[in-house]
Amino acid sequence: MIIWSIAKTTVGDALRKKVLQIFLVVAIGLIIISLSFSQTLSFSSRAGSSTDIMLVKSFGLGLMAVAAWLISLVMGVSLIPQEIERRTIYTILAKPVKRYEFIVGKYLGAVLTLAINVAIMGVVFIAVCVFKAMGAEQPIAPEETGLPIVGMQQVGLFDWNMVWGVIMIFLQFTVLTSVVLLFSVFLTPTVNFFMGLGVYIIGVMAPLTETLSSKESQLHPVLKAFYRVIHTVVPNFDKFNVTNTLLHPETHIESMAKYTGIVTLYALFYSLLMMLLAIIIFRKKEV
Amino acid sequence: MPEGSSKPLWVLVVILLLAVAWTQYLADPIQYRMQEKAKPTSGGGELMVQLPGQFIVASVAGFKEVIAGALWVRADTFFHAGQYEAIIPIVRLVTWLDPHNVDVYSTGAWHLDYNFVDTNQMSDKRYIPAAVALLKEGIKHNPDIWDLYFELGWTHYNKKILDYEKAVEYIEKACTKDGVDPNTGQRVPRPEFVDRMLAHMYEKVGRFDDAIKQWYKARKRVEEAIARERKKKKGGYVDTTSLDVCDRNLGLLYLRLAWRYGDMEAYKKGLEIYKRLASRKDAPAQLVEATRGAEADYARRVATNNPPRDALKPLDAGFEVTWKKVAPKVFIIKGKVNLVPASEYKDLASECFTHWYRDNQNAPPDQRKLWRDGCRIRWILRDYDYKMPELKTFSYKIDKTKTIAWDSVYVSGGTFSDRIDLSQDPDFYPFKADKYKLTIMFVPQQAECPDYVQDRIGWKGEALRDKRYLDTKTQPGFHLLRKEMVLSKKDVL
Amino acid sequence: MADAIAVRNLTKVYGGALKDRVPAVDNISFTVAQGEVFGFIGPNGAGKTTTIKILLGLLFPTSGEAEVLGKPAGDIETKRRISYLPESPYFYEHMTGAEVIDFYCRLFRMGAAERKAKTQELLERVGLAEDGHRTLRQYSKGMLQRIGIAQALINDPDLLFLDEPTSGLDPIAHKDITELIASLGRQGKTVFLSSHQLGDVETVCDRVAIINRGKIVKIGTLDDLLRAGRTVITFAKAGSELVEQVKPYAERVSADGELVRVYVESEENVHSVLDAARGKATLVSVLPQRQTLEDLFVEIVREVRK
């Protein structure tokens, strides 16, 4: 109950942050504007409006990721420092509140805020996708075959993959939030912002660290081991980046649900790990 | 410390670290299968290194597909400006950023195959290997859908010389794959024309039994598609033309097997199909007339035990061709070949059904010549040692010192002539070699050999004879006409 | 009865192991009895807030011990019985006064009905009953301070830590809060009042400790510290020999140019000093006086700075 109260207060506080509101509004505005995107590639035999929808989807997913990224970073870096700066933490910790309850409550609040933001964007985004798909058609046969074109086929309206996409964005940034939360226990917001940025970039380039540490890599064994450690320790944000697969689901080999399940577990374990470290440090932290 | 020892927490940290590593280990292989680019061996990392910085930043930000889309839009403006050479590098970039955009592969290959054209609208054949490699790369990334197999098959059929068997292989492959809804990504059945195309292909390469089986399969798939459509539209209008297309094609295949090779059993089957089509209320008059004609012919032949064997009656092609340089890199090809359309023959078996000869005779004089156009003779002029390279990986950089050109000339009323000007596009035809090989040939399989010529010579050109140029070796079972010459530099420049 | 607060040889040095760091709190010891209103005074940066934070378990001592209500500082169970009002408290701006109190009630795991009643009661008690529905963004500093007091009273604490509770307040709020503290004292609560507003401390405190530069320089009841009958004897032309001679009788001796002031506590000692000085210096004045706490404070601080 204490954790929940702290989480709720954190959500209320974060939702009223002007800068976060601006990210949200701009993102939603751009998603809606993307409705007008089209790429009429007249030379392409198969490019109908289905290609336009793909552009909208790709743009929307990317945009939501950027917005969620900014939101989690900007919100996360101030989670603990702001409480200290405002001295609210003193009144809270002077009450019979355990320090881990405070950390867990703050993280939960941040994750809830992220969930609310991503959900709002997600609903708008999916609505835009459905709207764009309405009436979209594509020719069935390529022209150059010379076969009589049987006609146009209507594309499907609701794409479940976009729901997976939104969930993946949420999961991805819960992990980033947990990393930033850990840092915010002992770093100032500005330093934390850049640390979070760095961790995110390394995490997104996970395939690179993986390549550098793989058996095939030509690097010195010590360097390889170093990259192996980096690859394991830094959150693998690339795992959540399945936009391309979602946009072209014909390449699905395994079910998206199974993959999402594993990745959800990954996000959960990683966030727990970060939270635990944050708790260990925060227990001994002087505020 | 106020809240007890941290030791148990550290134990938990280790456990969680193991759990994190475990889930990563679980997810890795799935991810590699889903994202070709992420596979360490085939170079997710290298790719990142190769791409310019802003693309890394953009892709880090999750905008890869947007960048790809924006580049693709840019490609469109290049296309409209006629700058085809600018498009291909974009194709390369876009497929890197978005390896599952099937459209980019097929459009890119189409550019390479068709759009690098000289002043006479002849395409630059040196790009064909690149197109094939691009499609193969696309297939590697998108192995589970029919689209690119089909494109590759088509390229082999229509663009590569004498690669019909390979074309069939790829289309066969396409016929084992599903399609996909471009928006939702749900599996959808592949369009039926893919199956129909395979039937046509079997016919082209002379695998008639396979063609017949394939027509039945294709027809079944069309039926299923119509049933689905009916269910979806609940009583609304459903187009059933595809079903008729299947029927007519299969019927005609049976009839032709009879007319060309004397298969009376096939005649019966073909007639059954056409009788069914003609008995319909909305059957066009032409179809009814054709069917009646064929019925009468069949009855007469059965009565007299005289099966038609038009394609088995030898026909002297009397192939003559001259190739003359009239100016540097400008040639005149001229010749005769006894390949006239069915409308020139009075007594072909198909006449009872097609009435081409009759219609030709009845046509007003000024339209008569339209009936004389027949097949095409293909010429290939290339560096003596030119071999079309097999590219392992896609590259749009071609060897600009090599020369290869081909085209075909219409045969009209048994003669052909054309002026071939290769002087205006030194980029396309550098003519740097000392020796050149010129091949002038007729291949009955080629796309330009129409049914109304095959009615006399057969699918495989069985009827063809020629004193000098008959070629039965290049394609076993087929009769080709082929004249090969070696040209020196002097003959060209 | 056990002491409410017991501090023994407490030292706090910020910033880890660097040897040249100045301790914020330097080996202090004191106790606060239960039911006492204890004033903890000193200039800014003297170590008052540090001491409070150690007692609350927000900071950890470098060495020494700090006990609160018989348990080591920071004990979670103890926190049910204590409360804290930080200096210029600030709460979540988006919440209303009532919501903030409700939030703090939740931290004590109170049920919904109890929270509602408690919120109402506390808002009335601090004079914000009319403003409970307004968000804190619309509150004045005095109102925020009242909210701070209210949250410190939620658990009906046995021990309250009030850090500068009256700083920056308008006179009416100032008076209200001072009265509230006094009433807490009358109810038998232990109050640990840190302040540099000496007037408040003088009005409400039973006992006072003066801290400066991390050290407690004076501790005792107000009566002890400001005892009547203190006398200042001023001499002119006093030699250093005389200064040494009177020191045993004097509480303090201060030299100011030509003048030497001798602070003497008892009448007996006044005589002894006067006797000793006879013929060795010119007597300027003998003034009996009652000090204000402020005088004492200024004097002590000035002296220590020398």
Side-chain angles (χ1 to χ4, degrees), chain A residues 1-2 5-6 8-9 12-13 16 83 86-88 90-99 101 106 283-287, chain C residues 12 53 56-60 76 79-80 82 84 86-88 90-92 94-95 103-104 106-110 115 137 151:
Chain A
M1 181 174 134
I2 287 178
S5 312
I6 292 172
K8 261 193 347 196
T9 319
D13 198 35
R16 280 169 182 81
E83 295 280 331
R86 292 172 172 179
R87 289 187 283 277
T88 40
Y90 304 134
T91 44
I92 292 171
L93 290 184
K95 307 263 181 287
V97 172
K98 296 199 176 76
R99 288 197 168 196
E101 291 175 320
K106 283 315 259 187
R283 275 155 56 94
K284 295 179 182 170
K285 158 115 178 143
E286 306 200 308
V287 290
Chain C
K12 175 70 192 173
K53 282 186 175 174
L56 288 167
L58 298 174
L59 297 179
F60 308 117
I76 198 87
K79 285 183 180 173
R80 301 192 162 282
I82 64 176
Y84 173 48
E87 186 181 349
S88 329
Y90 184 102
F91 305 98
Y92 299 108
H94 66 274
M95 294 172 125
F103 167 66
Y104 282 103
R106 282 170 189 270
L107 299 186
F108 286 102
R109 298 180 161 81
M110 288 182 181
R115 289 203 307 270
R137 203 168 283 133
Q151 64 83 24

Side-chain angles (χ1 to χ4, degrees), chain C residues 16-61:
Chain C
L18 282 178
K19 277 179 187 146
D20 52 356
R21 295 276 165 111
V22 182
V25 172
D26 192 358
N27 195 21
I28 61 171
S29 303
F30 64 90
T31 57
V32 177
Q34 293 209 352
E36 215 172 23
V37 178
F38 185 81
F40 200 55
I41 61 176
N44 287 326
K48 293 177 305 218
T49 303
T50 302
T51 310
I52 293 183
K53 282 186 175 174
I54 291 172
L55 290 170
L56 288 167
L58 298 174
L59 297 179
F60 308 117

Side-chain angles (χ1 to χ4, degrees), chain B residues 217-290:
Chain B
K217 270 190 215 163
R219 193 184 193 282
K220 206 169 149 236
R221 293 206 69 238
V222 171
E223 275 173 350
E224 285 164 6
I226 289 174
R228 275 197 304 275
E229 196 75 356
R230 286 232 164 86
K231 210 168 144 194
K232 212 161 79 189
K233 291 198 176 162
K234 292 187 188 98
Y237 170 75
V238 175
D239 186 10
T240 55
T241 1
S242 301
L243 210 55
D244 294 355
V245 170
C246 288
D247 283 340
R248 268 185 259 151
N249 273 300
L250 176 60
L252 217 47
L253 175 57
Y254 275 134
L255 293 180
R256 284 183 177 143
L257 281 170
W259 298 331
R260 295 178 188 180
Y261 305 133
D263 183 342
M264 292 305 277
E265 201 50 40
Y267 211 150
K268 208 170 101 192
K269 284 183 187 155
L271 265 180
E272 271 165 24
I273 293 172
Y274 269 95
K275 274 197 272 187
R276 179 161 52 77
L277 291 175
S279 69
R280 288 203 314 224
K281 258 184 279 168
D282 58 348
Q286 247 185 327
L287 182 89
V288 177
E289 192 203 354

Side-chain angles (χ1 to χ4, degrees), chain B residues 400-414:
Chain B
K400 295 244 177 180
T401 63
K402 295 275 192 281
T403 307
I404 177 163
W406 73 64
D407 203 357
S408 52
V409 193
Y410 248 122
V411 178
S412 186

Side-chain angles (χ1 to χ4, degrees), chain C residues 287-298:
Chain C
L287 289 175
Q289 64 173 197
R290 163 147 186 135
Q291 271 184 312
T292 63
L293 188 58
E294 190 155 357
D295 296 332
L296 178 66
F297 181 70
V298 170

Side-chain angles (χ1 to χ4, degrees), chain C:
Chain C
M1 206 185 255
D3 288 328
I5 298 171
V7 171
R8 282 184 289 275
N9 307 107
L10 185 71
T11 298
K12 175 70 192 173
V13 184
Y14 284 113
L18 282 178
K19 277 179 187 146
D20 52 356
R21 295 276 165 111
V22 182
V25 172
D26 192 358
N27 195 21
I28 61 171
S29 303
F30 64 90
T31 57
V32 177
Q34 293 209 352
E36 215 172 23
V37 178
F38 185 81
F40 200 55
I41 61 176
N44 287 326
K48 293 177 305 218
T49 303
T50 302
T51 310
I52 293 183
K53 282 186 175 174
I54 291 172
L55 290 170
L56 288 167
L58 298 174
L59 297 179
F60 308 117
T62 310
S63 66
E65 286 168 33
E67 273 181 17
V68 176
L69 298 174
K71 295 263 175 60
D75 182 85
I76 198 87
E77 283 311 307
T78 311
K79 285 183 180 173
R80 301 192 162 282
R81 296 168 56 203
I82 64 176
S83 70
Y84 173 48
L85 169 68
E87 186 181 349
S88 329
Y90 184 102
F91 305 98
Y92 299 108
E93 270 197 333
H94 66 274
M95 294 172 125
T96 67
E99 279 168 354
V100 168
I101 302 302
D102 186 79
F103 167 66
Y104 282 103
C105 286
R106 282 170 189 270
L107 299 186
F108 286 102
R109 298 180 161 81
M110 288 182 181
E114 195 185 352
R115 289 203 307 270
K116 206 173 164 196
K118 199 82 192 173
T119 305
Q120 196 55 38
E121 175 205 322
L122 287 172
L123 286 175
E124 270 168 28
R125 185 152 174 205
V126 296
L128 288 175
E130 304 290 307
D131 303 293
H133 65 281
R134 285 162 61 188
T135 58
L136 297 197
R137 203 168 283 133
Q138 301 162 285
Y139 275 32
S140 69
K141 188 155 187 337
M143 291 161 88
L144 284 176
Q145 197 76 9
R146 285 164 197 257
I147 287 290
I149 300 271
Q151 64 83 24
L153 296 175
I154 286 171
N155 54 337
D156 195 15
D158 298 331
L159 169 59
L160 291 96
F161 292 91
L162 309 177
D163 195 357
E164 306 282 1
T166 57
S167 78
L169 295 187
D170 61 89
I172 296 169
H174 192 137
K175 186 166 165 288
D176 284 354
I177 285 175
T178 318
E179 275 173 13
L180 198 111
I181 297 168
S183 80
L184 288 170
R186 285 195 295 277
Q187 285 168 36
K189 309 279 183 204
T190 312
V191 179
F192 188 93
L193 174 66
S194 144
S195 183
H196 63 265
Q197 303 265 341
L198 301 164
D200 303 343
V201 179
E202 211 171 344
T203 331
V204 300
C205 290
D206 306 320
R207 224 154 59 89
V208 170
I210 299 175
I211 183 169
N212 192 30
R213 299 195 173 183
K215 285 189 168 32
I216 291 183
V217 285
K218 200 97 194 172
I219 187 162
T221 63
L222 273 174
D223 285 346
D224 282 345
L225 292 181
L226 309 173
R227 198 169 37 215
R230 195 180 199 202
T231 307
V232 184
I233 306 165
T234 312
F235 298 104
K237 294 177 189 156
S240 58
E241 184 195 339
L242 174 63
V243 173
E244 289 307 313
Q245 219 174 338
V246 301
K247 259 192 181 162
Y249 311 110
E251 188 191 354
R252 276 182 300 124
V253 178
S254 70
D256 186 7
E258 273 213 327
L259 299 179
V260 171
R261 287 196 182 82
V262 184
Y263 297 80
V264 186
E265 300 249 321
S266 66
E267 205 181 322
E268 196 182 319
N269 285 346
V270 171
H271 291 297
S272 306
V273 170
L274 288 176
D275 287 347
R278 194 160 294 148
K280 293 184 185 150
T282 314
L283 180 66
V284 177
S285 64
V286 178
L287 289 175
Q289 64 173 197
R290 163 147 186 135
Q291 271 184 312
T292 63
L293 188 58
E294 190 155 357
D295 296 332
L296 178 66
F297 181 70
V298 170
E299 207 170 88
I300 287 171
V301 169
R302 187 173 290 157
E303 189 144 312
V304 172
R305 282 205 185 128
K306 269 184 196 163

